[in-house]
Amino acid sequence: MGLTEEERAILVALESEKADKLIAEAEQIATLQLWDAVANRLYYAAFHAVSALLIENKHAVNTHRGTVITFGNFFVKTGIVSKEDGKLYSQLQSMRESGDYNCYIEATETEIRPKIAETKAFVATIQSLLKKN
């Protein structure tokens, strides 16, 4: 990634802010009980938080799957982030894909509601790593 340090810092901040915004959207959508949409917003909140971390650490990826793999290799396998958080990120991606692409699968409140708090904690964990760098 050919970014200056200033550009990198701006992009990291924007990605982190986007994660916060998407968590808030997920909470609002949950009041409407639109669970596929909540799953979508939760995944993208996690995705933008992870993207901020990868950008800050100069890891370039081009796909959502690449983001999961790179995050796993550099942050989960090394113990910087817990295996549980790595698993959550993968689960959120699967849930988002199911909700977005499969017309015969619908997310349920029982499945999705607990993920709101888990995703908030995940994003906070990632953002705390950003503040350390």
Side-chain angles (χ1 to χ4, degrees):
M1 208 180 265
L3 299 172
T4 67
E5 289 306 311
E6 181 181 358
E7 291 168 333
R8 185 178 317 287
I10 291 168
L11 194 51
V12 166
L14 290 172
E15 292 283 1
S16 183
E17 289 170 17
K18 184 75 168 184
D20 290 335
K21 179 182 177 214
L22 292 168
I23 290 285
E25 286 180 13
E27 291 175 321
Q28 290 175 335
I29 295 167
T31 65
L32 301 173
Q33 298 186 356
L34 300 172
W35 302 112
D36 286 335
V38 174
N40 177 287
R41 298 292 79 189
L42 292 176
Y43 165 71
Y44 278 105
F47 171 78
H48 284 285
V50 168
S51 293
L53 186 63
L54 296 180
I55 291 165
E56 182 172 273
N57 288 275
K58 302 179 182 176
H59 297 291
V61 292
N62 297 317
T63 65
H64 287 266
R65 188 77 193 130
T67 301
V68 171
I69 291 168
T70 304
F71 177 68
N73 287 337
F74 288 96
F75 295 94
V76 178
K77 286 183 181 177
T78 60
I80 296 170
V81 174
S82 72
K83 289 181 182 178
E84 291 78 19
D85 277 342
K87 194 178 296 183
L88 174 65
Y89 185 44
S90 293
Q91 288 172 343
L92 291 171
Q93 183 190 30
S94 294
M95 290 167 41
R96 192 270 308 174
E97 288 176 354
S98 291
D100 286 356
Y101 300 118
N102 293 324
C103 59
Y104 54 90
I105 296 176
E106 281 192 33
T108 65
E109 180 175 5
T110 304
E111 175 186 24
I112 302 299
R113 185 169 294 283
K115 300 295 183 207
I116 297 171
E118 292 173 26
T119 304
K120 284 175 85 168
F122 175 85
V123 168
T125 295
I126 299 305
Q127 290 173 334
S128 72
L129 291 172
L130 294 172
K131 293 175 183 171
K132 289 180 181 179
N133 294 329

